[in-house]
Amino acid sequence: MSLKRRRILKKSALTGLIIIISVIVVSPLFLAFLNSFKSLSEITYNVASLPEEWTLGNYTRAWESLNFPQALFNSAVITIFSNAGVVLISSMAAYFIVRRPSRFSKFLYKAFLAEMILPFQVVMIPLTIVIKQCGLINSLGGVVMAYLGLGVAMGVFTYCGFIK
């Protein structure tokens, strides 16, 4: 067998393997999409069949029951403000840590690194208590503050590496 033929055979086998893996990964998503157009009785009868009657009722019901416009607005507010806050606070803290070397800045950098090492389960209850004491429980501001508290350490670490 020639070298060229072996390469073609190897590439063909690799392409076939990639196609098989892609089908395995995409098929559950395709079934979920297909079943979104069926009624509940059709789904329970046969999950893998095409819908007998295509309907958008599941989408309208989900839109109404989830109050989708309000959920989208809340997600946008939380994302915009928490990311803007993390970028602003992290960049300023990292600039101070890198450009003003002292014992305090080294301690501050190590404190941010230590916060990254702690698992979320350790921080979860104290963070909830602090947010409740600040009167921010069940509010968008509370979620933004929680995301700030959890995201600033990674931002400082990243910005310190960039500034150095």
Side-chain angles (χ1 to χ4, degrees):
M1 192 181 289
S2 70
L3 183 63
K4 187 175 181 180
R5 186 171 168 93
R6 220 180 286 167
R7 283 185 186 165
I8 291 172
L9 191 62
K10 194 175 185 180
K11 283 184 181 181
S12 298
L14 186 62
T15 303
L17 182 66
I18 289 172
I19 289 172
I20 291 170
I21 291 172
S22 299
V23 167
I24 290 171
V25 169
V26 172
S27 60
L29 297 173
F30 178 71
L31 283 176
F33 177 73
L34 202 64
N35 287 327
S36 69
F37 294 104
K38 296 180 185 178
S39 66
L40 184 59
S41 60
E42 274 188 89
I43 294 171
T44 54
Y45 178 68
N46 190 356
V47 176
S49 68
L50 288 173
E52 292 175 12
E53 182 181 331
W54 295 78
T55 179
L56 294 174
N58 293 333
Y59 288 103
T60 57
R61 203 174 21 226
W63 181 278
E64 292 166 357
S65 67
L66 293 176
N67 193 7
F68 190 77
Q70 183 65 44
L72 184 65
F73 174 76
N74 291 346
S75 296
V77 167
I78 290 167
T79 302
I80 290 168
F81 284 109
S82 62
N83 285 328
V86 166
V87 167
L88 188 68
I89 294 168
S90 299
S91 61
M92 291 190 301
Y95 185 85
F96 175 80
I97 289 170
V98 173
R99 299 291 183 192
R100 309 243 182 205
S102 66
R103 273 195 242 155
F104 177 69
S105 64
K106 287 181 183 177
F107 169 76
L108 199 58
Y109 183 70
K110 289 178 183 175
F112 281 119
L113 286 179
E115 196 273 331
M116 283 176 38
I117 294 170
L118 290 174
F120 174 71
Q121 290 80 359
V122 173
V123 184
M124 180 175 55
I125 293 175
L127 181 65
T128 307
I129 291 170
V130 169
I131 289 173
K132 185 176 181 181
Q133 288 174 346
C134 292
L136 295 173
I137 205 84
N138 291 331
S139 69
L140 293 177
V143 176
V144 169
M145 290 300 153
Y147 282 1
L148 282 174
L150 296 171
V152 166
M154 183 65 170
V156 168
F157 177 72
T158 306
Y159 275 113
C160 281
F162 174 74
I163 294 170
K164 285 180 185 177

